[in-house]
Structures are given as C-alpha cells and as structure tokens.
Amino acid sequence: MFRKTKLKTRMILTLGLVSALQTILIGVFAGYYLSSSLYDEIGQRALMVAKTVAATPAVILGVQSRDVSGLNRLARRLATTNEALFIVIGDHNAIRLAHPDPNRLGHSMADDDGDDGRQALVHGQAYVARAIGSLGESVRGKAPVVVPDSGEIIGIVSVGYGVDQVEATIQRYNFVLYGVVGLMLLVSIIAAIVISGRFKRAIFGLEPGEIALLFQEREATLQSVREGIIAINREGIITTVNRAALETLGLEAETTLAGKPLLDILPESDLLSVLDSGKPDFDREVWLRGRQMIVNRLPVRQGDEITGVVSSFRLRDEVDQVSRQLTRIQQYADTLRSQTHEYSNKLHTIAGLIQIGATEEALALIGSEVSDHQALIHLLLEAVPDPVIAGCLLGKYNRAREMGLRLDIDPDSWMSDIPPGLPRDQLVSVLGNLIDNALEATRLHTGEGGRVQLSMTDLGNELIFEVEDQGPGISEEAQQKIFKRGVSSKQGDEHGIGLHLVRQFLNRWGGSVTVENRPEGGSRFTLYLPKTPEARTPEKRNAQ
C-alpha cells in the first residue's frame, strides 16, 4: 500500500516519522536527564544545608546542652530560610531533639525512614538519601554535628526537601521542554513538506517508476543513434558516451569513459571551449585520434548557468561518401539531360533538312556530329582509360555544348597513371567543380561561343589538371578567400561550397591548387595531386 502512494506523500511521511522519532527520543532523553539532574541538584543542596546547619555554633551548643526548645525554634527558622521541607536535629544516639512534629521528639530518627544515621554518627560522613518518612517522600542530606575543638561527634542534622517540590519544578521545566519538542516536530513536518516539494519539482514531478522508464528509454535511444555522442559536465568529466562513439574513435567496446576527464581521452579536443563561450557549434570539421570528423556541439544549460556540453560526431568519410554518391548521381543526370536536349535539337534540325530536301546538308550535319563525338571519345579512350573520369569529362563536354560553349581538351593530355588509392569519386567531384565554375564564369562574361580549356598530365610524381576559362578573372584579394566555405561571386546561400570541397580534398590527399589570371583574360586553376599522397593533419596544414 505504501509503495503505491506518490513520491511526495512518501517523502513527507518518511521524513515526518523520522523527525518525529528523533524529536521524541531527544525529548525523552532530555526529560530523563533533567529529572535526574534536578534530583541530584536538590540532594546536593540538602547536603550543603545540612553541613551548614551542623556547623552552626548555636546548633552545636544546643545539642551539647540538649536545649530542645531552642533547637526547634532554630530548626524551623532555618527550614523557612532555606525553603526546606524540614530540618531534624538528633543527638549522638539519633534521638530527635528538633522536629516539625512535637510528637516525634524524643524518638529515634530510625523509626522514620529506617536509617539510624550510623554513617554520619559513627564514620563522620555526610551523605544524601531518598526516603518516605512521616512528612512524606523527600530527598535528605545528613551531616554529623562535630565539636570543633575535640572533633567529637555529638549529633546529626537531617535536612529534607519534599519530592513534591522537586516534581513541581520538573513539571515546569517539562512544560517548556515539551513545548520546544512540539515546535521542533512541527518545524520538521513543515521542512519535510518543503523538501519533498522542491525535490519533486527538481525531478519535474516524475515518480520513481517514470524516472526509471525514462532512463531506460534514454539509454536505448542513445545506443540506437549511429552518430557518436559524448557529454561532459562543467568540470570537463565525461558523463555520457554511447557505443557508436567508441567505434568512431577506434576504442574497444569494453572501454569505460564515464567519469574520466575528457582531455585524458581526447587531448586534441577543444570541446571545453564551448563551456566558456556557451555558443553552439554545428557541422565543424575536426581531427580526433587521427581521424577527420564532422561534429556538432551544444551547451547544456540550467537556467542561465552552463552545466555541460553534448557533442555528436561521425567520420568525415561517411559524410563524403553520401556527398560523392549524390554528386555522381547529379553528374549522370546532367550528362543524360544534356545529351538528350542536344540530340533532340540535332534530330529536329536533321528532320527539317530532310523535309525540305536538303539531304546533303543533313548528311553533313550528321557526319560533323559523329566526327566530333568520335574524336572526343577516341581521345578519352586513349588518354584517360579510367571510365569514371572519362565519363565525367564527356558529360561536361555535352554540358558545355548545351550552354553554347566549348570544352576543349588538349589533345596532348594524358592521364593513365592514377594511383589505385585515389578515390575516383572525389577526384571527379573536384574536377567537375572546377570545370563547372569555369563554364559558368565564361558564360556570364563571354556568352555563347566562349571556350574552356582543359589539359591533363601524369608525367613525373604528380597528377596535374589545368582549367582555363574566359571569365572576368579573379582579383588577388578574392584569390585568398574563394576556397573558404560560403565565399562566392554568385548570389544565394547554395553557392561557395564547390571550391571549399576542392580545398578539403586537397588537404586530405596532400595536394595543392594555384589560381592566376591569364594575360589574354580569364583565370587559370592548376590542380596538383601527388601520386604518393600524404594525409595532412591540421597541424601540417597550418605549417604550410
């Protein structure tokens, strides 16, 4: 039944009961200690008064002379002065010489409480006793009456304080004590309600079962994500990591990262900078453990305070693979569209020539079209045996004709010694971007009839591609920026990416590119790719 109640109710009951139990135990202990201490204090007071009375010269003289009336007057006065219940004085045989009840005079003090005063009369010791006598239960202090000069014990003094007096005092103290205990209990219950309420708000009003379910769902979601995920707290300690992160970083699946400083695992990471800046970081390229990755980093906030950072990342190769596949599909589509559009126009022209009887012109147009394509195909088959690159160049040739331009490939070009490890898809993407930019610049500046020239060579230790256009040229200031992401002379958010991808490929492969303006107008891009590549880390790139 208790488990079915809500967490807040359980916390209030638990904290309230614990506080009540603690308060009650403290109250009982305090009451017992107070009662015991008060009895001890009253006993010591009775003993002190008894010693004082026994040492009074008038008492000593009255006992020696057995002055009963004088001793009784003195005893009553001293009892009133010291607020005692009684003061009884006896001789050396413990026979009463002074007593509040005259009927008790001349009788042994032993018939009152069974104590014959032997400890005081024989051993000369003062002591405290608690007994029930003729005047009720009392705490008594007894002391011997000693003659100062001879040291002879000639009597005994008994001073008593009634237990009713002590209990009345205890009741007054207990009233205050129980009031404080009750107030503490009330404060404890209020504190339990406040603490449980704040705790409930801190966990967003969730019950323990709901928290456990959310944790399981979070763990399942975290592990199902294909991207690596790492989270750190304010101190830079790793708090969360999934299996994909271990795989992406090349770590063993059994490696435990939670609880370890991030910089001990990834010393090259600058994830801690997000803690200081508080700014999210998206699609950033970084090197981690010798691998190039794309990362997204988002600060975790609690109110206005940054409490940690969550980072997701994946290998750049995976992103590039998707990009290359899309690029290849787009290139194939552009090639087919260009060829379809061009051949459709040619077929319409040939059909019109035949219809008007100009058969010779029709045959000449067919022969010209066939000879141009045959010459280009023959050149590509001999100079560029790689079908992927040859197909790309054929598609760009058709694309140029569709735009009313010419793509001239230097007949002395040769590109057969391409390293096996060079990704053809990336090379096609880079070469295609350079040619597309050259065609676009030529079309905008020169118009129809413009030419773009391409030459290639694999002599020596490098592959060299040279693309020349008839565009407006590129200023020296722009030459320093055109390879940055988003920098373009064209309008729109989708531009400024092609040359950035070119630079990234060259950085990974260890190549380079130069840009210069041609004396006769236009610009020249020269691409250098080593046949023995060296992947360059950010440090090597910065050094260059």
Side-chain angles (χ1 to χ4, degrees):
M1 184 66 180
F2 183 73
R3 292 183 178 180
K4 295 182 180 179
T5 58
K6 292 186 176 181
L7 177 63
K8 184 175 181 179
T9 304
R10 278 188 282 172
M11 289 187 65
I12 293 175
L13 292 176
T14 301
L15 293 175
L17 288 175
V18 171
S19 299
L21 181 61
Q22 291 177 338
T23 304
I24 291 172
L25 289 176
I26 292 173
V28 170
F29 174 76
Y32 172 79
Y33 181 77
L34 174 64
S35 176
S36 176
S37 298
L38 193 56
Y39 272 111
D40 289 342
E41 182 182 350
I42 294 297
Q44 293 301 316
R45 181 179 179 183
L47 185 61
M48 182 184 66
V49 173
K51 289 180 178 181
T52 302
V53 172
T56 303
V59 172
I60 296 174
L61 183 60
V63 173
Q64 287 177 331
S65 62
R66 300 185 70 84
D67 183 5
V68 175
S69 60
L71 289 175
N72 275 279
R73 288 194 303 271
L74 181 59
R76 284 193 296 270
R77 181 166 57 83
L78 291 175
T80 301
T81 302
N82 291 279
E83 298 181 350
L85 178 63
F86 62 83
I87 293 179
V88 176
I89 302 173
D91 60 12
H92 64 284
N93 293 317
I95 301 300
R96 296 187 185 95
L97 298 177
H99 192 279
D101 185 1
N103 296 325
R104 296 282 181 170
L105 295 174
H107 297 281
S108 174
M109 296 174 65
D111 64 4
D112 195 10
D113 55 9
D115 183 9
D116 58 3
R118 185 179 182 85
Q119 185 174 350
L121 293 172
V122 177
H123 302 288
Q125 297 176 349
Y127 61 96
V128 177
R130 182 175 177 177
I132 300 176
S134 58
L135 298 179
E137 187 176 6
S138 62
V139 178
R140 308 174 181 192
K142 296 185 177 184
V145 179
V146 181
V147 178
D149 297 335
S150 62
E152 178 186 3
I153 298 174
I154 60 174
I156 183 173
V157 175
S158 176
V159 178
Y161 285 88
V163 172
D164 293 341
Q165 294 175 286
V166 180
E167 293 295 338
T169 303
I170 292 175
Q171 288 298 329
R172 289 198 304 270
Y173 288 152
N174 282 344
F175 179 78
V176 177
L177 176 63
Y178 293 151
V180 173
V181 169
L183 181 61
M184 290 175 59
L185 183 59
L186 179 61
V187 171
S188 299
I189 294 175
I190 295 175
I193 295 174
V194 173
I195 292 173
S196 61
R198 295 191 64 178
F199 181 80
K200 189 74 172 180
R201 288 193 297 272
I203 60 176
F204 303 101
L206 298 174
E207 296 296 317
E210 295 173 332
I211 295 175
L213 181 60
L214 283 177
F215 179 79
Q216 293 173 351
E217 291 178 353
R218 167 190 170 277
E219 189 66 19
T221 302
L222 189 65
Q223 299 302 337
S224 66
V225 176
R226 294 185 61 186
E227 287 192 348
I229 295 178
I230 287 182
I232 61 174
N233 60 16
R234 181 62 188 173
E235 289 71 34
I237 305 299
I238 298 175
T239 57
T240 303
V241 62
N242 65 350
R243 286 192 296 268
L246 299 177
E247 295 174 0
T248 305
L249 295 173
L251 300 173
E252 297 292 335
E254 296 78 14
T255 305
T256 301
L257 298 185
K260 297 181 179 180
L262 174 69
L263 296 182
D264 289 353
I265 308 300
L266 301 172
E268 66 272 50
S269 173
D270 59 348
L271 185 60
L272 297 180
S273 63
V274 182
L275 284 173
D276 300 327
S277 66
K279 297 180 180 179
D281 201 358
F282 299 105
D283 298 328
R284 183 175 179 182
E285 298 179 21
V286 301
W287 283 80
L288 296 174
R289 298 178 65 86
R291 302 181 177 191
Q292 190 176 20
M293 301 183 186
I294 304 296
V295 302
N296 296 290
R297 302 182 295 191
L298 192 68
V300 179
R301 299 179 181 272
Q302 187 172 9
D304 296 332
E305 182 182 0
I306 299 176
T307 59
V309 180
V310 176
S311 174
S312 64
F313 52 91
R314 69 187 310 162
L315 293 173
R316 175 60 193 264
D317 293 343
E318 297 179 10
V319 179
D320 284 348
Q321 184 177 3
V322 175
S323 177
R324 289 194 299 268
Q325 291 175 349
L326 293 176
T327 300
R328 178 185 288 183
I329 293 173
Q330 183 178 4
Q331 289 173 346
Y332 289 161
D334 289 343
T335 299
L336 293 175
R337 180 171 57 82
S338 299
Q339 289 180 342
T340 301
H341 182 70
E342 182 181 2
Y343 285 128
S344 177
N345 291 333
K346 297 293 184 181
L347 287 174
H348 291 158
T349 302
I350 293 171
L353 291 173
I354 294 175
Q355 289 177 358
I356 64 176
T359 56
E360 293 184 1
E361 287 80 359
L363 291 173
L365 180 59
I366 294 173
S368 174
E369 181 66 24
V370 171
S371 63
D372 288 345
H373 275 81
Q374 287 297 327
L376 175 62
I377 292 174
H378 179 74
L379 172 63
L380 294 178
L381 287 177
E382 287 189 357
V384 188
D386 189 290
V388 176
I389 300 176
C392 172
L393 295 179
L394 182 59
K396 297 303 177 184
Y397 175 83
N398 293 323
R399 172 64 175 163
R401 296 190 62 176
E402 181 186 6
M403 297 171 65
L405 306 174
R406 287 184 58 85
L407 173 60
D408 292 337
I409 300 177
D410 189 342
D412 294 328
S413 294
W414 193 267
M415 187 60 60
S416 61
D417 189 15
I418 301 177
L422 178 62
R424 300 305 193 269
D425 292 343
Q426 295 187 36
L427 179 57
V428 165
S429 176
V430 168
L431 191 56
N433 278 319
L434 292 179
I435 295 175
D436 284 340
N437 287 342
L439 291 173
E440 187 69 20
T442 301
R443 182 183 68 84
L444 293 176
H445 186 69
T446 306
E448 292 189 6
R451 297 175 60 187
V452 172
Q453 294 177 299
L454 169 68
S455 63
M456 304 172 287
T457 179
D458 59 4
L459 297 177
N461 297 322
E462 293 181 312
L463 307 179
I464 302 176
F465 298 86
E466 190 174 86
V467 180
E468 298 179 351
D469 61 50
Q470 294 180 339
I474 303 174
S475 66
E476 293 185 3
E477 180 181 357
Q479 291 178 14
Q480 305 298 324
K481 301 179 180 179
I482 56 176
F483 292 99
K484 294 182 180 180
R485 186 183 183 92
V487 176
S488 175
S489 60
K490 306 170 188 175
Q491 300 297 322
D493 296 335
E494 297 181 358
H495 300 295
I497 299 176
L499 292 180
H500 174 68
L501 295 177
V502 171
R503 172 66 73 186
Q504 288 184 326
F505 170 71
L506 295 176
N507 286 338
R508 290 195 299 273
W509 194 256
S512 61
V513 61
T514 62
V515 184
E516 57 184 334
N517 290 323
R518 302 168 59 207
E520 61 271 26
S523 58
R524 178 185 298 111
F525 285 76
T526 306
L527 191 69
Y528 300 91
L529 291 172
K531 294 181 180 179
T532 304
E534 178 184 1
R536 292 185 289 177
T537 62
E539 291 78 8
K540 293 181 179 178
R541 294 200 300 270
N542 292 336
Q544 295 181 0

